[in-house]
């Protein structure tokens, strides 16, 4: 009689059949509905999903959504790609991976993010999946632009492109505008400045336009390039601090960009 491999011993016939079928079909996302359709009985499907999750053969993303740990993984020591998990978690929602995750991805900071940030138009929530922290951040539809599609292990994943990431960085820097300032200065020759300006004009926070306009002018961008951005800050004489994280609002006034230079 043929011996059963140790990695299969703890699996029932139904569990092994389900895993084999998933791997044969190269199915990345397993849903409760998919398993129910295979076994025909809702309770049986639920029990199998529960057992495979307890045996660490399935990783639950959220209710009704699972990822298979490959049968070849030694002792189930396997981690799914974080970008793929984020994409499967979001499903059909409009989303992009952004914020600190992309600051590091595009080389704007060397800080390694502890959380995968997923900006989307539907929900805000936090979740731990296989020891990784995921945070869904709900944004207004008008902030959903500048999104780039990439392939990760044949899975389509949406991320913020380089210029859109810089807009987010200006809006949500790592505790100090100095971090954004350094990133912009180091990368200004590696971005499409005209696209960046268009993205800034589209971003619905005037204070961000003012701060970045000030920096771009300081780094030598032409008046022709910055003219549309300058127009987009409006006529109101509302001053904003260059660094909103500093308590002091003392500093020179830049009348052109309506900035308090509180460096």
């Amino acid at each position: 009689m043929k011996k059963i491999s140790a990695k299969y011993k703890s699996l029932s016939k139904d569990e092994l059949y389900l895993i084999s079928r998933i791997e044969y079909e190269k199915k990345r996302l397993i849903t409760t509905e998919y398993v129910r359709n295979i076994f025909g009985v809702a309770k049986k499907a639920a029990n199998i999903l529960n057992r495979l999750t307890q045996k660490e053969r399935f990783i639950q993303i959220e209710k009704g959504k699972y990822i298979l740990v490959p049968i070849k993984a030694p002792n189930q020591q396997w981690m799914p790609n974080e970008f793929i998990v984020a994409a499967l978690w979001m499903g059909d929602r409009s989303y992009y991976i952004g914020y600190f995750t992309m600051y590091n991805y595009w080389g704007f900071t060397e800080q390694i993010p502890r959380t995968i940030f997923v900006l989307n138009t539907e929900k805000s929530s936090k979740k731990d999946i296989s020891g990784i922290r995921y945070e869904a951040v709900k944004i207004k539809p008008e902030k959903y632009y500048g999104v780039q599609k990439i392939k990760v292990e044949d899975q389509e994943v949406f991320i913020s492109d380089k210029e859109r990431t810089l807009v987010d960085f200006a809006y949500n820097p790592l505790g100090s505008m100095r971090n954004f300032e350094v990133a912009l200065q180091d990368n200004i020759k590696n971005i499409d400045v005209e696209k960046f300006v268009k993205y800034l004009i589209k971003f619905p926070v005037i204070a961000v336009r003012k701060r970045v306009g000030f920096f771009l002018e300081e780094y030598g961008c032409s008046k022709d390039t910055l003219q549309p951005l300058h127009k987009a800050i409006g006529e109101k004489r509302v001053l904003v601090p260059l660094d909103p994280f500093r308590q002091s609002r003392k500093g020179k006034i830049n009348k052109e960009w309506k900035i308090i230079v509180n460096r």
Side-chain angles (χ1 to χ4, degrees):
M1 185 176 178
K2 189 176 180 180
K3 287 187 177 181
I4 299 174
S5 172
K7 63 186 176 185
Y8 300 122
K9 272 187 176 180
S10 65
L11 299 175
S12 70
K13 183 179 178 180
D14 286 334
E15 292 164 357
L16 187 56
Y17 171 74
L18 177 60
I19 289 173
S20 300
R21 181 162 172 173
I22 291 167
E23 292 201 331
Y24 177 76
E25 294 178 1
K26 297 181 179 179
K27 198 165 185 65
R28 198 179 293 279
L29 179 67
I30 303 105
T31 63
T32 301
E33 183 181 8
Y34 170 79
V35 179
R36 190 184 300 133
N37 288 338
I38 289 175
F39 293 105
V41 181
K43 187 174 181 180
K44 182 177 182 179
N47 288 336
I48 291 172
L49 285 168
N50 185 51
R51 289 199 304 269
L52 285 172
T53 302
Q54 289 179 344
K55 293 176 182 180
E56 298 182 342
R57 287 295 177 184
F58 278 5
I59 296 170
Q60 187 172 25
I61 300 176
E62 64 179 359
K63 187 176 180 180
K65 288 184 177 182
Y66 303 82
I67 298 175
L68 172 68
V69 176
I71 202 74
K72 295 178 182 178
N75 300 317
Q76 291 95 275
Q77 297 301 308
W78 177 81
M79 288 285 289
N81 181 280
E82 293 93 341
F83 283 16
I84 292 176
V85 171
L88 296 177
W89 183 31
M90 287 294 106
D92 295 330
R93 299 180 182 96
S94 296
Y95 81 92
Y96 67 86
I97 298 171
Y99 280 175
F100 307 128
T101 313
M102 285 295 107
Y103 303 167
N104 177 266
Y105 178 90
W106 289 117
F108 298 151
T109 175
E110 293 182 356
Q111 293 186 41
I112 298 173
R114 296 181 180 180
T115 301
I116 305 299
F117 287 91
V118 192
L119 288 77
N120 70 98
T121 57
E122 293 187 29
K123 70 174 184 177
S124 290
S125 64
K126 297 178 181 179
K127 195 169 188 67
D128 286 315
I129 303 172
S130 292
I132 303 295
R133 187 73 163 169
Y134 293 81
E135 183 169 344
V137 180
K138 186 177 180 180
I139 59 172
K140 295 179 180 179
E142 55 263 36
K143 286 186 178 180
Y144 186 78
Y145 64 91
V147 176
Q148 177 178 333
K149 181 168 67 175
I150 63 172
K151 280 284 188 77
V152 180
E153 299 175 17
D154 294 325
Q155 172 71 42
E156 288 186 350
V157 176
F158 293 95
I159 64 173
S160 53
D161 68 19
K162 188 176 287 188
E163 291 76 17
R164 183 66 178 86
T165 301
L166 270 179
V167 174
D168 280 340
F169 203 167
Y171 175 67
N172 191 7
L174 297 165
S176 170
M177 280 306 291
R178 178 61 183 163
N179 295 317
F180 168 76
E181 184 180 357
V182 170
L184 180 61
Q185 189 172 20
D186 289 348
N187 290 276
I188 196 163
K189 293 182 179 179
N190 302 320
I191 64 169
D192 184 331
V193 175
E194 289 188 3
K195 183 199 284 189
F196 183 42
V197 167
K198 288 179 182 177
Y199 283 178
L200 286 164
I201 292 169
K202 196 171 183 178
F203 196 72
V205 181
I206 293 175
V208 170
R209 300 176 200 164
K210 291 179 178 180
R211 292 181 182 118
V212 181
F214 172 85
F215 287 131
L216 288 173
E217 184 176 72
E218 195 171 59
Y219 300 150
C221 286
S222 69
K223 287 191 177 293
D224 287 343
T225 300
L226 294 179
Q227 192 276 332
L229 181 59
H230 189 268
K231 185 178 179 181
I233 68 174
E235 298 294 330
K236 292 182 180 179
R237 193 181 179 279
V238 178
L239 298 175
V240 299
L242 185 63
D243 190 341
F245 295 92
R246 296 192 65 177
Q247 290 184 347
S248 174
R249 288 176 61 93
K250 293 181 179 179
K252 291 183 178 180
I253 304 298
N254 181 286
K255 294 181 180 179
E256 185 171 1
W257 293 101
K258 299 165 186 165
I259 286 286
I260 303 169
V261 187
N262 63 332
R263 282 173 167 154

